Amino acid sequence: MNAENERNHGTQRIDGIMLAWGLENHDLVDVSLEQLTHKQVQKARQGRQLTLKMMQKVARALNVAIWERLEEEQRELYYEYIHRDLFSYAKGYTADWQDPNAALIPQQQA
Protein backbone atom coordinates (compact mmCIF):
# COMPACT_ATOMS: atom_id res chain seq x y z
CA MET A 1 0.00 0.00 0.00
CA ASN A 2 2.90 2.37 0.68
CA ALA A 3 4.17 1.92 -2.89
CA GLU A 4 0.67 2.80 -4.09
CA ASN A 5 0.75 6.12 -2.21
CA GLU A 6 4.17 6.95 -3.69
CA ARG A 7 2.64 6.89 -7.18
CA ASN A 8 -0.17 9.32 -6.32
CA HIS A 9 1.07 12.89 -6.39
CA GLY A 10 -2.15 14.84 -5.97
CA THR A 11 -3.76 17.27 -8.41
CA GLN A 12 -1.20 18.38 -10.98
CA ARG A 13 -0.50 21.73 -12.62
CA ILE A 14 -1.97 20.43 -15.89
CA ASP A 15 -5.38 20.40 -14.18
CA GLY A 16 -5.22 24.13 -13.43
CA ILE A 17 -3.95 24.92 -16.92
CA MET A 18 -6.78 22.95 -18.50
CA LEU A 19 -9.34 24.70 -16.30
CA ALA A 20 -7.89 28.12 -17.16
CA TRP A 21 -8.09 27.40 -20.90
CA GLY A 22 -11.59 25.89 -20.56
CA LEU A 23 -10.46 22.45 -21.70
CA GLU A 24 -11.97 19.13 -20.74
CA ASN A 25 -10.46 15.65 -20.99
CA HIS A 26 -12.35 15.03 -24.21
CA ASP A 27 -10.69 18.04 -25.87
CA LEU A 28 -7.27 16.43 -25.46
CA VAL A 29 -8.49 12.98 -26.51
CA ASP A 30 -10.17 14.47 -29.57
CA VAL A 31 -7.06 16.23 -30.92
CA SER A 32 -4.54 13.54 -30.08
CA LEU A 33 -3.19 11.45 -32.94
CA GLU A 34 -1.56 9.09 -30.43
CA GLN A 35 -4.59 7.17 -29.14
CA LEU A 36 -4.84 9.09 -25.90
CA THR A 37 -7.75 7.97 -23.71
CA HIS A 38 -10.03 9.82 -21.30
CA LYS A 39 -8.74 7.61 -18.49
CA GLN A 40 -5.11 8.55 -19.21
CA VAL A 41 -5.93 12.28 -19.18
CA GLN A 42 -7.86 11.89 -15.92
CA LYS A 43 -4.93 10.05 -14.33
CA ALA A 44 -2.61 12.84 -15.49
CA ARG A 45 -4.80 15.52 -13.92
CA GLN A 46 -5.28 13.65 -10.64
CA GLY A 47 -1.58 12.97 -10.18
CA ARG A 48 -1.33 9.26 -10.81
CA GLN A 49 2.30 8.78 -11.80
CA LEU A 50 2.75 8.42 -15.56
CA THR A 51 5.73 7.31 -17.58
CA LEU A 52 7.83 9.93 -19.34
CA LYS A 53 6.37 8.92 -22.70
CA MET A 54 2.82 9.28 -21.38
CA MET A 55 3.58 12.69 -19.83
CA GLN A 56 4.96 13.83 -23.18
CA LYS A 57 1.93 12.46 -25.05
CA VAL A 58 -0.45 14.35 -22.76
CA ALA A 59 1.63 17.54 -23.09
CA ARG A 60 1.53 17.31 -26.90
CA ALA A 61 -2.25 16.87 -26.88
CA LEU A 62 -2.63 19.82 -24.50
CA ASN A 63 -0.55 22.04 -26.78
CA VAL A 64 -2.55 21.08 -29.88
CA ALA A 65 -5.88 21.63 -28.09
CA ILE A 66 -4.79 25.10 -26.99
CA TRP A 67 -3.16 25.93 -30.35
CA GLU A 68 -6.44 25.32 -32.16
CA ARG A 69 -8.14 27.94 -29.97
CA LEU A 70 -5.59 30.68 -30.64
CA GLU A 71 -5.71 33.38 -33.29
CA GLU A 72 -2.80 33.75 -35.73
CA GLU A 73 -1.09 36.56 -33.77
CA GLN A 74 -1.41 34.65 -30.51
CA ARG A 75 0.19 31.55 -32.01
CA GLU A 76 3.42 33.47 -32.54
CA LEU A 77 3.55 34.27 -28.81
CA TYR A 78 2.48 30.84 -27.55
CA TYR A 79 4.92 28.89 -25.38
CA GLU A 80 4.54 25.13 -25.80
CA TYR A 81 4.17 23.39 -22.46
CA ILE A 82 6.52 20.51 -21.80
CA HIS A 83 6.07 17.71 -19.30
CA ARG A 84 8.15 19.36 -16.55
CA ASP A 85 5.78 22.36 -16.67
CA LEU A 86 2.77 20.13 -16.02
CA PHE A 87 3.76 17.37 -13.60
CA SER A 88 5.25 17.86 -10.12
CA TYR A 89 7.12 14.54 -10.22
CA ALA A 90 8.82 15.23 -13.59
CA LYS A 91 12.56 15.79 -13.63
CA GLY A 92 13.25 19.53 -13.86
CA TYR A 93 9.90 20.59 -12.31
CA THR A 94 10.03 24.04 -10.70
CA ALA A 95 7.46 24.81 -8.03
CA ASP A 96 7.62 28.59 -8.55
CA TRP A 97 7.17 28.38 -12.35
CA GLN A 98 5.07 31.16 -13.86
CA ASP A 99 2.90 30.37 -16.88
CA PRO A 100 4.35 32.25 -19.88
CA ASN A 101 0.97 31.93 -21.61
CA ALA A 102 -0.97 33.71 -18.86
CA ALA A 103 -1.60 36.75 -21.08
CA LEU A 104 -3.04 34.54 -23.83
CA ILE A 105 -5.55 32.72 -21.63
CA PRO A 106 -9.08 33.96 -22.40
CA GLN A 107 -10.63 35.77 -19.46
CA GLN A 108 -13.73 34.08 -18.08
CA GLN A 109 -16.96 36.05 -18.31
CA ALA A 110 -18.48 36.53 -14.86
Side-chain angles (χ1 to χ4, degrees):
M1 177 122 171
N2 192 17
E4 182 71 23
N5 290 335
E6 291 176 10
R7 286 183 266 175
N8 291 314
H9 300 279
T11 302
Q12 295 296 298
R13 189 179 287 153
I14 187 173
D15 184 63
I17 290 172
M18 287 179 65
L19 290 173
W21 283 97
L23 295 170
E24 297 182 6
N25 296 358
H26 183 73
D27 296 317
L28 272 63
V29 172
D30 197 36
V31 300
S32 177
L33 301 175
E34 303 178 83
Q35 298 180 338
L36 189 64
T37 67
H38 291 87
K39 188 174 184 176
Q40 291 166 331
V41 176
Q42 190 62 30
K43 284 181 178 183
R45 293 178 78 166
Q46 292 176 343
R48 178 78 172 152
Q49 188 161 328
L50 305 176
T51 64
L52 174 60
K53 284 188 174 195
M54 184 55 68
M55 287 189 282
Q56 291 170 334
K57 182 189 288 192
V58 171
R60 283 189 294 271
L62 175 67
N63 284 316
V64 172
I66 293 171
W67 182 263
E68 289 183 349
R69 294 173 174 228
L70 297 175
E71 296 176 12
E72 195 64 38
E73 307 83 46
Q74 294 174 313
R75 290 178 177 176
E76 294 177 21
L77 303 172
Y78 181 69
Y79 164 84
E80 286 191 29
Y81 298 108
I82 55 176
H83 67 284
R84 73 168 178 243
D85 300 331
L86 306 174
F87 302 101
S88 64
Y89 52 92
K91 186 175 181 180
Y93 174 83
T94 311
D96 60 349
W97 177 84
Q98 298 293 316
D99 189 345
N101 293 320
L104 299 175
I105 297 174
Q107 300 303 315
Q108 303 256 338
Q109 299 295 327

